[in-house]
Amino acid sequence: MNELRYGMAFGHEHVIRLASDQSTASTSYVDCTGLAHWLEAGSVYLVEGIIVFQSPSLVVGIGLSYTIPSGASGIMINQVPTSLSAVTPITSRTADGHANTAAVDAINSDVLAVCHARVVNGSTAGLFQLRYRSSLAANTVVVKTNSLLRARRVL
């Protein structure tokens, strides 16, 4: 995992770059290995994902979600284009509670998804882990190399 770290006025910002493509044909969420960040106990983080993915079919979208430490609370919104002029926003207050997008605008071409999350961590330190799934069984979606996860501790 390649990680860049630098200080900011409100704490530290960490940018994690996905070092290699990750793929799944599963309709159950799986970890996007390499896009995770350690959350300190008793802290609040803003997490942003800049996720580039590819789909094998116009009717196969992607689901993006997360897991967080026990006792933490989180909310995440994903914005995924389903055509060149439409974006589907999907919000969830629970880990792995996100719906999928149902389509993409181009087959086997890079599609950009943006995720925004706020995590209030309790007394247990642990990982924010980005997760993903295919919207249709037996159709492989690929999260591409150089997708990014940025985490900022704000409290």
Side-chain angles (χ1 to χ4, degrees), residues 1-152:
M1 171 172 45
N2 294 329
E3 185 172 358
L4 307 171
R5 296 178 183 219
Y6 52 94
M8 291 188 59
F10 296 107
H12 293 282
E13 178 169 287
H14 302 267
V15 178
I16 298 99
R17 180 186 72 86
L18 188 61
S20 61
D21 288 358
Q22 303 286 310
S23 63
T24 189
S26 176
T27 57
S28 298
Y29 279 108
V30 298
D31 291 351
C32 188
T33 304
L35 287 182
H37 184 268
W38 187 258
L39 305 178
E40 296 177 29
S43 57
V44 177
Y45 285 85
L46 300 177
V47 182
E48 180 180 38
I50 306 298
I51 310 302
V52 177
F53 73 96
Q54 292 184 355
S55 170
S57 169
L58 293 176
V59 297
V60 176
I62 193 169
L64 295 166
S65 193
Y66 62 90
T67 57
I68 52 179
S70 175
S73 64
I75 186 168
M76 183 172 173
I77 185 168
N78 301 323
Q79 296 172 315
V80 184
T82 52
S83 73
L84 289 176
S85 61
V87 174
T88 301
I90 300 169
T91 302
S92 177
R93 290 179 182 84
T94 60
D96 287 353
H98 288 79
N100 303 316
T101 60
V104 293
D105 66 315
I107 297 170
N108 296 322
S109 296
D110 288 351
V111 178
L112 179 68
V114 178
C115 312
H116 299 279
R118 189 231 40 209
V119 179
V120 178
N121 203 13
S123 60
T124 304
L127 282 179
F128 176 98
Q129 173 66 63
L130 188 75
R131 295 168 59 83
Y132 71 111
R133 67 181 176 189
S134 176
S135 69
L136 189 61
N139 285 270
T140 301
V141 292
V142 180
V143 176
K144 300 299 289 177
T145 302
N146 295 320
S147 290
L148 301 171
L149 188 69
R150 180 173 69 175
R152 286 183 287 159

